[in-house]
Amino acid sequence: MTTSLASHDTARDAGSGPPDAGSGPRVMRRRPNRKKLSDWIILGAAIVVGILIAVPFLLIVINSFKSPADYNTGGPLQLPTHLYFDGIVKFWKYVDFPQKLWNSIFISGMVAILAIIISVLNAYALGIGRVKARLWIIVLFLLANMVPQEALLYPLYSLFKLVGLYDNVWSVIIIFTVIQSAFGTYLLSSVYGTFPKEILEAAALDGASRWTTLWRVIVPISRPTLSVLLIFFFIWTWNEFLIPLTFLVSNNNQTVPVAISVLQGDRLMDVTTTSASALLGLLPTLIFFLIFQRTLTRGITAGAVK
């Protein structure tokens, strides 16, 4: 009996054959990631656009360290024969650049901070508080961003003359805080309108007031978006020209863009000094952007991943 069972097991094992290759786990071979023709076209177009954007900056750098004689001889495209720093020194002394730099930093920083605070408060009332006529109020904020600055000059000039803030940096801070917060309110109200209600209900069950919910729950969660707005508000205010030119007439209150234009018309600078002034005016915003580049990237891509 034992012999017959053993022979039966042997026959079964012999007849079973090798295991089916399909029964085991399949090993997927990853195909090489081959770029399509459209990918190469998009990459080439991006490189061309990047070069076109970088060319003006390279010309400014080249001509900033070029003497007027080199510029007259070789033109704007030739590299300087030797480094020439007199243009930078001349502009630095003529306009008192450290004072202009501080004015721009102070105005842009105050506008960015105040505009963020006002935008958060307005958007909290519109997006989460659900006030009456919410849609019409948001449309009103949107229309406020479409009003050209030229239409605001005379009314604001009369107003600040009346209250004694003309030729004062706070006049420009107030104007741009209102302008930037109008855009910030329009953007954040849409973001807060889709805020999960479960989080707000959980905070309310824990006994959090509306003020606590705003600053302890909503603001930390929306920090990436607020960081992006802060960076944009700073750079937009830094680059503004018309309103600072109109409301900051004294030399001690002028910003960097205004100082560059006023000096060109007053002293008739040569091309190399003009390039040096443009370089000095561009470097602070470039440094600011490089410092907060990671913050900007995280804020832009924060909503792409749940």
Side-chain angles (χ1 to χ4, degrees), residues 46 128 260:
I128 296 178
I260 294 174

Side-chain angles (χ1 to χ4, degrees), residues 186-200:
Y186 169 74
L187 179 65
L188 288 178
S189 60
S190 302
V191 176
Y192 289 171
T194 60
F195 203 85
K197 295 181 180 180
E198 294 79 5
I199 298 177
L200 301 177

Side-chain angles (χ1 to χ4, degrees), residues 1-305:
M1 185 69 178
T2 306
T3 307
S4 62
L5 289 174
S7 61
H8 176 72
D9 293 339
T10 304
R12 185 185 62 182
D13 294 340
S16 61
D20 187 7
S23 61
R26 295 183 178 180
V27 179
M28 300 296 295
R29 292 184 179 180
R30 183 176 295 178
R31 295 181 179 180
N33 188 12
R34 296 180 180 179
K35 291 185 178 295
K36 300 179 181 179
L37 179 61
S38 59
D39 296 334
W40 288 108
I41 294 176
I42 295 174
L43 180 60
I47 293 175
V48 171
V49 172
I51 293 175
L52 293 177
I53 295 174
V55 164
F57 178 74
L58 293 177
L59 289 178
I60 290 175
V61 173
I62 291 173
N63 292 300
S64 297
F65 300 97
K66 184 186 297 184
S67 64
D70 283 347
Y71 184 86
N72 294 330
T73 303
L77 300 179
Q78 183 178 348
L79 295 175
T81 57
H82 64 280
L83 294 180
Y84 180 82
F85 296 95
D86 290 352
I88 297 177
V89 174
K90 186 187 301 184
F91 174 74
W92 188 284
K93 292 181 178 180
Y94 277 173
V95 302
D96 190 11
F97 185 74
Q99 179 65 40
K100 306 300 184 297
L101 181 63
W102 165 248
N103 292 338
S104 292
I105 293 175
F106 178 73
I107 293 174
S108 302
M110 290 298 299
V111 168
I113 295 173
L114 294 176
I116 285 293
I117 295 174
I118 296 175
S119 299
V120 169
L121 296 176
N122 291 340
Y124 180 63
L126 294 174
I128 296 178
R130 298 293 181 177
V131 299
K132 295 182 179 180
R134 169 181 174 271
L135 180 60
W136 292 105
I137 296 176
I138 293 177
V139 171
L140 183 63
F141 278 106
L142 178 61
L143 293 176
N145 287 278
M146 299 181 180
V147 177
Q149 294 185 0
E150 293 80 3
L152 303 174
L153 291 181
Y154 183 74
L156 292 176
Y157 171 82
S158 302
L159 176 62
F160 287 119
K161 272 284 190 179
L162 184 63
V163 299
L165 285 179
Y166 182 72
D167 196 18
N168 191 310
V169 294
W170 282 102
S171 62
V172 178
I173 291 175
I174 293 173
I175 294 172
F176 285 127
T177 297
V178 174
I179 294 175
Q180 310 291 23
S181 62
F183 175 79
T185 300
Y186 169 74
L187 179 65
L188 288 178
S189 60
S190 302
V191 176
Y192 289 171
T194 60
F195 203 85
K197 295 181 180 180
E198 294 79 5
I199 298 177
L200 301 177
E201 293 174 355
L205 290 176
D206 290 339
S209 62
R210 292 185 177 181
W211 186 260
T212 304
T213 303
L214 173 62
W215 296 111
R216 296 292 182 88
V217 179
I218 297 175
V219 170
I221 293 178
S222 59
R223 187 173 298 169
T225 304
L226 299 180
S227 301
V228 173
L229 280 179
L230 183 71
I231 294 172
F232 282 157
F233 288 166
F234 185 93
I235 295 178
W236 290 345
T237 306
W238 181 284
N239 293 326
E240 286 292 342
F241 174 74
L242 180 61
I243 289 180
L245 177 66
T246 305
F247 290 91
L248 302 177
V249 293
S250 64
N251 186 49
N252 293 330
N253 294 329
Q254 291 175 353
T255 59
V256 173
V258 176
I260 294 174
S261 65
V262 171
L263 184 59
Q264 291 178 7
D266 185 22
R267 310 290 176 87
L268 295 178
M269 294 187 302
D270 54 80
V271 177
T272 57
T273 307
T274 305
S275 300
S277 65
L279 179 63
L280 289 178
L282 178 64
L283 282 180
T285 53
L286 181 62
I287 295 173
F288 178 83
F289 179 80
L290 292 177
I291 292 174
F292 294 98
Q293 180 183 9
R294 182 173 298 179
T295 303
L296 183 63
T297 304
R298 289 176 179 176
I300 293 176
T301 59
V305 180

